[in-house]
Amino acid sequence: GSYSIRVKMPDLSRLRLKTDAVFEFGVEGKDNNAVSAISMQWKLSEPTKLTLSLASGTEQTPVSKKYDIRMTDIITNGFDASSRFYTYGFDWKADSVEWWVTDPSTKARKTIKAENDASSVPVAAAYINAGAWHTSSAPKYPFEIEIDSISYTEL
């Protein structure tokens, strides 16, 4: 299926100390010992970067991959996840995963990364999820992650 989120990250540039907060969107699940996870992660103190990951295999023999992406290489007209809403997503098929973003200026869908190694692609059923957490002490100031929509479309 095709999974997407339209989201705007908070602008933390006014803060002296950067938070270690992370926002994640993806799918995750286990089915009879099989592992499935596909995700997109934003470290809120670095609004021009995105981390993509996937996990498959079994609990005993997991296969995982992680990719750190400079989004300014994908959207070259001043990308900043905190400057405006972007639609991010991934298409999960039996033999591939393709992560993508829609450029709000041109409305063009641009591929961020494609994983075509079928042995790395998750096969177990998974649940859609979105959430934020802190990798260190929580900051003493409020911030908001604005989510406009989350969707799933059957391919």
Side-chain angles (χ1 to χ4, degrees):
S2 185
Y3 300 81
S4 67
I5 186 169
R6 186 171 184 268
V7 63
K8 180 181 174 190
M9 299 302 153
D11 180 1
L12 303 180
S13 63
R14 71 189 191 292
L15 305 173
R16 286 189 196 147
L17 300 174
K18 300 297 183 194
T19 179
D20 287 335
V22 175
F23 178 74
E24 178 179 60
F25 170 70
V27 295
E28 186 174 350
K30 292 181 185 176
D31 185 20
N32 293 330
N33 198 28
V35 176
S36 284
I38 303 169
S39 71
M40 308 174 94
Q41 294 180 351
W42 296 258
K43 187 174 179 184
L44 300 185
S45 61
E46 298 181 279
T48 62
K49 295 182 182 175
L50 183 63
T51 299
L52 310 174
S53 62
L54 56 83
S56 61
T58 65
E59 291 177 338
Q60 292 78 24
T61 57
V63 175
S64 62
K65 293 186 177 182
K66 186 180 273 193
Y67 307 100
D68 291 320
I69 307 295
R70 290 172 26 110
M71 290 299 292
T72 52
D73 294 340
I74 308 296
I75 296 180
T76 56
N77 58 351
F79 177 87
D80 180 340
S82 67
S83 68
R84 62 195 308 183
F85 279 94
Y86 286 90
T87 301
Y88 306 87
F90 57 91
D91 295 344
W92 180 16
K93 298 178 182 174
D95 60 351
S96 66
V97 174
E98 180 183 304
W99 291 272
W100 50 268
V101 62
T102 301
D103 184 335
S105 299
T106 64
K107 307 294 186 222
R109 181 171 145 164
K110 298 184 175 192
T111 298
I112 300 170
K113 177 76 177 163
E115 179 60 57
N116 295 309
D117 177 2
S119 66
S120 299
V121 175
V123 295
Y127 296 98
I128 195 168
N129 63 53
W133 69 88
H134 302 282
T135 58
S136 63
S137 299
K140 296 178 182 176
Y141 43 82
F143 59 86
E144 296 177 348
I145 298 166
E146 299 176 67
I147 300 173
D148 187 49
S149 65
I150 295 176
S151 68
Y152 166 78
T153 306
E154 189 173 342
L155 294 177

